[in-house]
Amino acid sequence: MVQDPKLDIEQSFWETGIVRVAGVDEAGLGCLAGPIVAAAVILPPEVTPIPGVRDSKQVSAAKRIQLLPKIQAQAIAVGVGVASVAEVDQWNVLRASYLAMQRALARVAPVDHALIDGREIYHADLGSVTTIIHGDALSYSIACASIVAKVRRDRFMQCLAKRYPGYGWERNAGYGTQQHREALQTLGVTPWHRKSYAPVQAVMQQLPLFEP
């Protein structure tokens, strides 16, 4: 049975007087197309966790949409940051994700400390941080951020899907599903594809750039 994340980690900071603790997570790291979207969520110390909030991958799309306004209502601050496809291709996907996190944290400043899902971070100025492997399953504020980032990115990809039909972005959000890969082979590469990724590069050698 999947357990809802708790506030134990946040509480350990709140008890020492560190109040503005931001949970941070991103969406879109493994996609073939679209930007990386990160979210930062700061919660009040007296917060009561919303039932059902957990790692966004463990929550249905419909449930995530229902949870988003509840998260926004109970948060002190919610910030979203984006790293573009061009930045992914220029810097690599990991460094681009750090850019998105920096931008999300800037939108909720000041931040006393950030809890970030993932492994130790190098070569990125994110301030005072604690990285937590599987943080979106352990920290409630990170789980909140994971839902915010996922919903915001999915909405953006759904808008792009109307301009670039056939890739299934309204359903796969730019991930490399079979439909997406087959569409790449027949329709070609769009300006929203990550051209530094091997599957996209392979298609670019065969087909011209897609023009809507």
Side-chain angles (χ1 to χ4, degrees):
M1 182 178 178
V2 178
Q3 297 289 323
D4 287 346
K6 302 187 183 302
L7 287 163
D8 296 350
I9 300 171
E10 291 86 343
Q11 195 67 44
S12 69
F13 288 95
W14 293 335
E15 289 174 354
T16 65
I18 299 174
V19 176
R20 290 184 69 87
V21 178
V24 182
D25 202 2
E26 50 71 29
L29 206 66
C31 294
L32 297 180
I36 296 174
V37 176
V41 176
I42 298 178
L43 299 168
E46 67 274 11
V47 70
T48 298
I50 301 166
V53 170
R54 54 175 68 102
D55 171 10
S56 63
K57 295 184 291 296
Q58 302 292 333
V59 182
S60 70
K63 185 65 173 178
R64 290 193 297 264
I65 292 170
Q66 292 177 0
L67 290 170
L68 178 63
K70 297 179 181 180
I71 292 169
Q72 293 171 323
Q74 75 170 185
I76 294 174
V78 176
V80 174
V82 176
S84 68
V85 170
E87 288 170 327
V88 172
D89 288 336
Q90 178 180 1
W91 298 111
N92 79 44
V93 69
L94 197 57
R95 290 183 65 184
S97 73
Y98 298 159
L99 283 174
M101 291 177 187
Q102 287 174 347
R103 291 161 182 166
L105 285 166
R107 291 183 175 274
V108 295
V111 176
D112 297 327
H113 194 79
L115 306 176
I116 298 178
D117 182 46
R119 300 182 181 276
E120 190 171 356
I121 292 173
Y122 299 97
H123 309 300
D125 184 13
L126 294 171
S128 177
V129 305
T130 297
T131 55
I132 306 167
I133 297 174
H134 303 308
D136 47 13
L138 300 172
S139 160
Y140 176 69
S141 63
I142 295 178
C144 288
S146 76
I147 289 175
V148 173
K150 178 64 173 167
V151 173
R152 291 291 294 271
R153 188 180 186 280
D154 283 355
R155 286 176 176 173
F156 182 77
M157 294 305 294
Q158 287 162 5
C159 291
L160 280 184
K162 297 176 182 178
R163 185 176 178 185
Y164 298 94
Y167 296 89
W169 291 346
E170 69 277 11
R171 294 181 298 279
N172 61 47
Y175 284 91
T177 62
Q178 181 177 348
Q179 179 191 7
H180 190 176
R181 289 173 179 268
E182 289 176 352
L184 267 173
Q185 294 293 331
T186 57
L187 299 176
V189 176
T190 75
W192 291 94
H193 279 99
R194 299 176 185 177
K195 298 171 184 62
S196 57
Y197 282 34
V200 179
Q201 288 181 344
V203 174
M204 288 176 64
Q205 295 174 6
Q206 304 168 17
L207 297 173
L209 186 71
F210 178 101
E211 293 295 344

